[in-house]
Amino acid sequence: MLILSYPVYCNDWRNKRIFQKSLRTIHFDGELLLHLVINGCKYPDFISSLSDRPNTQLVMSPVNSVAGAWARAIQRLHDFGDDAVLLMANQDIFFHRKTLNILYSAAQQDGFVFGDSGKVMNAFSLWGGRLKTFVRFFEKDPDVRCKGLPDELFAPAYFEDNDLLRRMDLSGSKRIAVQAKYRHVGSSVIKYDKNLRKQNKVSHERNKEYYIKKWGGEPGRETFDTPFGNLREN
């Protein structure tokens, strides 16, 4: 089974339209469950209509961050078998027809898969793995506060992906970058949400400072091997 999960923000009609177009690009040959974490929506009729889609779960969750939506998705994965694959995507991802099949096949390996658009890799616009992979990460995650889940203190967005990738690397998890065609309409949620747009610059700087405090440096220049912890020996 493939579980495809989105954090869904529909506080602007343009976000709603982008997400509707994104849904039309979903193509998968096997058993697919669409898992939608809904956070505040001005279009309840649109959201309720999604429940009419076959194999669709709606999770109405008052999450205040992308990390929170991912955390709900990872927790839901435990309802399924060890070989179930969870892929998490931004709601402004447009898939090539073969993309989900390619990522699902790659996820059969023992590691986390990341969609690589072929340009600069935006690892956490599209990523996931099997339940076995998440369980092993949970057991070795150096951030015991989060216990294998995204750190929801990175709210509403920015650096939560860097933090999780750092923890994955330290846990010894394998990265599997897959050449899979898709288009990411970057930052559309923030761009079209007036409240998030106002917070954007402030939250970016706050989350950057939190990341540096947590890991002893910016992404790629970390000096801690444990969160808020020990200086790495040179």
Side-chain angles (χ1 to χ4, degrees):
M1 170 182 278
L2 172 63
I3 305 167
L4 180 60
S5 182
Y6 292 94
V8 181
Y9 297 81
C10 290
N11 291 331
D12 181 276
W13 65 269
R14 286 162 293 195
N15 278 331
K16 173 188 173 184
R17 186 174 63 183
I18 288 172
F19 184 53
Q20 286 175 314
K21 290 181 178 179
S22 173
L23 290 175
R24 290 197 290 269
T25 68
I26 295 173
H27 302 283
F28 182 65
D29 293 337
E31 185 180 4
L32 172 69
L33 174 66
L34 187 62
H35 174 262
L36 307 174
V37 181
I38 313 297
N39 181 44
C41 186
K42 290 183 178 179
Y43 305 96
D45 293 340
F46 165 61
I47 293 300
S48 61
S49 70
L50 293 175
S51 62
D52 296 331
R53 293 174 59 101
N55 293 323
T56 300
Q57 291 186 9
L58 303 182
V59 180
M60 307 297 287
S61 182
V63 294
N64 67 347
S65 66
V66 172
W70 287 343
R72 302 298 87 73
I74 292 169
Q75 290 166 331
R76 184 57 57 97
L77 182 66
H78 289 268
D79 296 340
F80 300 92
D82 283 352
D83 291 319
V85 171
L86 172 65
L87 288 178
M88 285 165 279
N90 291 19
Q91 72 177 51
D92 47 9
I93 291 285
F94 293 78
F95 298 103
H96 183 272
R97 178 169 287 274
K98 296 181 180 180
T99 295
L100 292 178
N101 288 304
I102 291 171
L103 287 166
Y104 179 82
S105 295
Q108 303 310 313
Q109 304 178 54
D110 186 17
F112 288 100
V113 298
F114 299 91
D116 183 348
S117 65
K119 299 179 181 178
V120 177
M121 182 174 170
N122 185 353
F124 281 74
S125 60
L126 182 59
W127 71 284
R130 286 187 299 173
L131 175 57
K132 293 176 183 177
T133 307
F134 283 97
V135 168
R136 287 171 184 154
F137 171 53
F138 170 87
E139 293 170 347
K140 297 180 179 179
D141 184 8
D143 192 343
V144 295
R145 299 174 310 110
C146 296
K147 298 181 179 179
L149 297 176
D151 187 343
E152 297 186 43
L153 293 181
F154 290 102
Y158 295 121
F159 295 95
E160 76 285 342
D161 50 356
N162 302 98
D163 173 73
L164 196 53
L165 193 58
R166 173 71 176 163
R167 289 156 52 200
M168 286 178 179
D169 287 343
L170 290 172
S171 73
S173 299
K174 180 181 177 182
R175 293 197 215 179
I176 306 171
V178 181
Q179 286 284 325
K181 294 181 180 179
Y182 67 92
R183 184 165 66 90
H184 180 206
V185 185
S187 301
S188 65
V189 172
I190 290 175
K191 186 187 303 180
Y192 298 135
D193 187 305
K194 181 173 63 176
N195 293 326
L196 287 179
R197 194 166 63 243
K198 289 179 179 178
Q199 298 175 30
N200 188 31
K201 185 175 181 180
V202 173
S203 62
H204 184 279
E205 291 303 313
R206 181 188 65 234
N207 289 356
K208 181 179 178 180
E209 290 178 6
Y210 176 48
Y211 187 92
I212 292 172
K213 180 180 179 181
K214 185 172 184 178
W215 294 109
E218 297 181 15
R221 299 181 178 180
E222 297 90 344
T223 57
F224 296 165
D225 284 339
T226 56
F228 312 101
N230 301 317
L231 282 169
R232 184 170 53 211
E233 294 182 5
N234 295 320

